Amino acid sequence: MELDRVDKKLLQLLQLDGTLSLAELAETVNLTTTPCWKRLKRMEENGIISKRVALLDPEKLGLSFTAFVQVKTSDHSHEWYRKFVEIISEYTEVMEFYRMAGEYDYMMKVLVADMKQFDLFYKRLVNSIDGLTNVTSTFAMEPLKYTTALPIS
């Protein structure tokens, strides 16, 4: 799907404030509400807008401990991969999960309250999955940049 200047502007606006009304969006991009709604609907149907959510402040919810967990495995079979993804997907502490190229096979961003909670997560992780050969964790000292807005140009 080709995006024109107006589509891109709508996406930028929604990324900054998902609570903007249809009327506010339409006015900002110089459209009436019906064509604006049709553009948004088309982008939703094409999967460009995948969902609309509220972003929460983890600190205010007592989730101030961020760990990056890197994993190496000795098993690269499809069956092991499928099971690993299924297990990790159930861990609510895992905010992001990637298959990597390079020294480690997988990386996770884990968000918990403190080191004690991370230790519980870590023990659960290493005891629930066979074939892990190395699990290394690093801890964030201070968040310097965080955004959910994609760089649309």
Side-chain angles (χ1 to χ4, degrees), residues 48-66:
I48 292 168
I49 299 173
S50 59
K51 63 171 81 171
R52 299 182 197 201
V53 299
L55 299 177
L56 309 179
D57 185 328
E59 292 273 335
K60 291 182 179 169
L61 294 169
L63 299 169
S64 58
F65 193 88
T66 303

Side-chain angles (χ1 to χ4, degrees), residues 84-92 94 97:
F84 183 54
V85 170
E86 184 179 309
I87 290 169
I88 298 302
S89 296
E90 295 296 317
Y91 287 30
T92 58
V94 176
F97 179 38

Side-chain angles (χ1 to χ4, degrees), residues 5-14 16-17 20-33 36:
R5 179 187 56 77
V6 174
D7 292 330
K8 291 176 183 178
K9 182 65 177 174
L10 286 168
L11 293 173
Q12 289 168 340
L13 291 166
L14 284 173
L16 295 175
D17 185 355
L20 290 172
S21 70
L22 180 59
E24 291 169 314
L25 289 168
E27 182 180 333
T28 304
V29 297
N30 296 317
L31 291 175
T32 59
T33 55
C36 184

Side-chain angles (χ1 to χ4, degrees), residues 2 6 24 28 46 54 67 71 75 93-95 99 117 122 125 135 147:
E2 282 291 317
V6 174
E24 291 169 314
T28 304
N46 283 287
V71 174
D75 190 341
E93 305 93 333
V94 176
M95 304 307 297
R99 188 169 62 88
Q117 292 301 310
Y122 180 87
L125 172 69
V135 179
T147 184

